[in-house]
Amino acid sequence: MEKEHIGVLVMSYGTPESMDHIEQYYTHIRRGHAPTAEQLAELTERYEAIVGGVFPLREHTNQQVAALEEMLNLEHPDKRFTCYQGLKHASPFIEDGIEQMVKDGVSRGIGVILAPHYSTMSVGAYIKRAQEKADEQGLSMSFVESYHLHPKLLQALTERVRTNLASFADEHVRVLFTAHSLPEKIVEMGDPYPNQLLETARAVADAAGVADWQFAWQSAGRTSVPWLGPDIQDVLHTISQEEQIRNVLVCPIGFVSDHLEVLYDLDIESKQTAASLGMKLERTASLNSDPLYMQTLSDVVYAKLSE
Ligand code: FEC
C-alpha cells in the first residue's frame, strides 16, 4: 500500500539572499514601504558587521528543515514526510511552500514555525497567510501554535545555561532570558506571548537551579508606537548601577537560530554595553540543528497529525 504523503510547511522569518536583496527584504518587512536611505544603510551595516555580510539564518533554516524531514521519516516509516520551507519575508515565501505542496500532491499539510512562542503578531501572522493560501488551493492544513514548554526544548536550553554558568566558576551571575519585543498593544489584546516566554524562562531557570534571573526584551522596532520593555540595554545599565551585577548570561529563548538579532543585537551591541559598564556578558549557544530541538519539532508535528 502506498504511504500517506504528509507535507510539513516549516515557516521561518527569512533573510536576504544577498547584500543586493536587503532593500527588497526590508521593504517586505515594512509591508511594502521602502526604507529611507539612512535606514537601509544602517541595516546594511549591521549585516556587514555579522561575519562580513553573510546571512546565517538561511543556512540554519535549510539545515533545520532537512534535519526535521529526516527525523520524521526515520521515526514514522509508515508515512512519507516532505518538509517545505515557507519564509515570512523572503523567497521561498509561505505561499510558495503551499503551492509546492499542492503540486507535489500531498494528502494533508501540517504547519510549524521556527519560533516556540505564540503571538498574534508573529506566529499568528504566519499561520494566517498559510491558511489563506491553503484555503485558496483546497489543501487541508493544521498548525502547531506553540511548543514553548516541550521537555526536549527545555532540556536543550537548560543544558546551555548550565554549560555557560560553569564557565563563570564561583562568580555571581544574573541570567537574562530574552526574546524579540513587540508593540505594547499586544498586552491589551490578551496575547499569550509575554506569559509563554515567562513560562519558558521559569522552567529553564528551575531546571538549571538558577535563582537569580530576570526577563528582558530585545530588538524592539524603531517605530513611534511603544514596544514591550524593559529593553536589555536598559536592564544592563540598571543592574550594573543599582545592583552592582558584574556577570551576565543571556539566554535568548525567543529565538532558535543564529541570525542578525542574536549575532548583532546581543553579540555586538549588548556585549559593547556590558563592556562599557565593566560587566562580563556571555550568551548561550543557539539551538540551530541541535537534535533535541529537531526532536521537539518532530514530536509536535506528529502530535498534530494524530489530533
Ligand atoms: O538574520 C536575519 O536576516 C533576520 C533576523 C530577524 C529575525 C526576526 C525575528 C522576529 N521579528 C519579530 C518582529 C518584528 C517586528 C518588526 C521587525 C522588524 C525587523 C527588521 C529586521 C528584522 N526584523 Fe523582526 N526579525 C529579524 C530581522 N521584526 C531586519 C527591520 C529593521 C529593524 O527594525 O531592525 C517591525 C516591523 C514593522 O516595521 O512593522 C514587529 C519577531 C521575531 C521572532 C519571531 C519570528 O522569528 O518570527 C516577533 C529572526
Side-chain angles (χ1 to χ4, degrees), residues 22-23 26-27 30 33-40:
I22 297 179
E23 184 168 10
Y26 204 171
T27 304
R30 292 164 48 88
H33 301 285
T36 62
E38 201 186 350
Q39 287 170 322
L40 181 60

Side-chain angles (χ1 to χ4, degrees), residues 13 178-182 193 197 217-221 227-228 254-255 261:
Y13 203 79
T178 66
H180 202 295
S181 182
L182 281 173
Y193 187 63
L197 285 159
W217 297 98
Q218 64 164 91
S219 316
W227 287 64
L228 293 169
F255 298 119
E261 317 295 77

Side-chain angles (χ1 to χ4, degrees), residues 15 116 119 195 198 202 260 263 279 283 290 296:
T15 188
S119 166
N195 198 39
L198 275 181
R202 200 169 292 124
L260 192 69
L263 301 173
M279 299 164 102
R283 168 179 71 79
D290 184 321
T296 303

Side-chain angles (χ1 to χ4, degrees), residues 13 15 25-26 31 46-47 126 180 222 227 259-260:
Y13 203 79
T15 188
Y25 172 73
Y26 204 171
R31 290 173 290 275
R46 283 195 275 149
Y47 278 115
Y126 289 87
H180 202 295
R222 296 150 175 85
W227 287 64
H259 50 54
L260 192 69

Side-chain angles (χ1 to χ4, degrees), residues 22-148:
I22 297 179
E23 184 168 10
Q24 191 185 327
Y25 172 73
Y26 204 171
T27 304
H28 195 275
I29 291 179
R30 292 164 48 88
R31 290 173 290 275
H33 301 285
T36 62
E38 201 186 350
Q39 287 170 322
L40 181 60
E42 194 264 342
L43 182 56
T44 305
E45 265 171 39
R46 283 195 275 149
Y47 278 115
E48 268 161 5
I50 60 164
V51 282
V54 298
F55 301 88
L57 182 58
R58 188 162 292 273
E59 194 191 323
H60 292 301
T61 303
N62 289 345
Q63 285 169 359
Q64 286 163 332
V65 174
L68 176 60
E69 182 175 296
E70 197 185 326
M71 191 168 276
L72 279 165
N73 282 309
L74 209 69
E75 291 188 337
H76 309 288
D78 57 317
K79 296 194 180 354
R80 177 155 78 92
F81 291 90
T82 307
C83 288
Y84 298 83
Q85 275 192 39
L87 308 181
K88 198 176 195 180
H89 298 299
S91 178
F93 287 99
I94 291 171
E95 293 76 8
D96 300 330
I98 299 273
E99 270 182 16
Q100 196 56 50
M101 282 160 79
V102 173
K103 269 191 202 138
D104 291 355
V106 303
S107 55
R108 59 180 285 206
I110 305 285
V112 67
I113 292 104
L114 299 178
H117 306 86
Y118 184 91
S119 166
T120 38
M121 282 192 73
S122 62
V123 166
Y126 289 87
I127 294 178
K128 186 164 177 282
R129 273 173 58 187
Q131 185 70 70
E132 276 170 12
K133 189 69 185 178
D135 288 348
E136 179 200 300
Q137 302 271 314
L139 175 68
S140 157
M141 289 275 306
S142 34
F143 297 92
V144 176
E145 294 199 335
S146 61
Y147 47 88
H148 67 293

